[in-house]
Amino acid sequence: MFEPCHTETLTWIDERPAAEVESCDWWFKYATGAESDATKDYGILWLQTTATPYKGFCVESFDAQLGADSQFEVIGSVEARRIRAGKAVGEDVALSSDADGHGPTPASVLKELTIRPGLMNVGDVASDGSIRAKWRSAHSSEKPISLVLGIEVAWDADATEALTAIYEIRVKTRLSYERC
């Protein structure tokens, strides 16, 4: 059974647990029978990840990257933006898909994100089909830092290949932490 979430515990020099990174990635498929393109299928690749420092540790920076493998064509993404927050603020991250105009109604994924004091950047889709988010602050955070990314993708519709094909979603996170 596919488990969309995985957790990694990061340790300090003395091997004491310092922080935990939980990442959940999903592949939401636009219903094939609801869209009119017989040559392509459509969907959204989605990542939610949170870095949580343990007591006595703080997050200095947190990066996340979500990538589509070469069999996917990236046709959209969450909005690229730069948010500077002086205090914790709520922000909706959303992505809608209408199967590149072939669907009768848009389907969407939405997550309300708490942005901690600092600077959060979400970039545009890179040439390798990936998108990246970064959180940085002049002051490290004792609180969890969360990032959300999504890309809309299309891939060849082939009923025979769909039974045996292996699709890869690339997820990378990088966390810097310190004692505080």
Side-chain angles (χ1 to χ4, degrees), residues 39-139:
T39 63
K40 299 258 187 211
D41 286 327
Y42 299 89
I44 291 175
L45 304 180
W46 189 259
L47 170 67
Q48 294 175 192
T49 185
T50 300
T52 305
Y54 284 33
K55 185 175 174 114
F57 292 92
C58 290
V59 174
E60 292 180 304
S61 66
F62 188 41
D63 298 6
Q65 184 176 12
L66 172 65
D69 214 14
S70 61
Q71 67 266 48
F72 293 107
E73 173 189 352
V74 177
I75 56 177
S77 69
V78 294
E79 177 186 354
R81 57 182 132 178
R82 182 180 175 103
I83 300 170
R84 186 171 304 280
K87 62 179 183 172
V89 294
E91 183 79 19
D92 286 343
V93 178
L95 181 58
S96 292
S97 172
D98 67 353
D100 204 24
H102 297 282
T105 59
S108 62
V109 182
L110 170 89
K111 173 67 177 166
E112 185 179 336
L113 179 66
T114 299
I115 299 172
R116 300 289 175 197
L119 177 65
M120 187 190 77
N121 283 312
V122 176
D124 289 315
V125 175
S127 60
D128 69 350
S130 67
I131 188 171
R132 187 172 177 180
K134 302 176 188 180
W135 176 88
R136 304 272 186 280
S137 180
H139 307 287

Side-chain angles (χ1 to χ4, degrees), residues 3-57:
E3 293 290 331
C5 300
H6 55 278
T7 302
E8 179 182 11
T9 300
L10 304 172
T11 58
W12 192 245
I13 301 163
D14 63 3
E15 300 298 318
R16 186 168 55 143
E20 185 175 276
V21 177
E22 180 182 44
S23 298
C24 301
D25 55 270
W26 294 276
W27 179 0
F28 298 101
K29 189 172 183 247
Y30 197 97
T32 302
E35 46 94 350
S36 61
D37 187 349
T39 63
K40 299 258 187 211
D41 286 327
Y42 299 89
I44 291 175
L45 304 180
W46 189 259
L47 170 67
Q48 294 175 192
T49 185
T50 300
T52 305
Y54 284 33
K55 185 175 174 114
F57 292 92

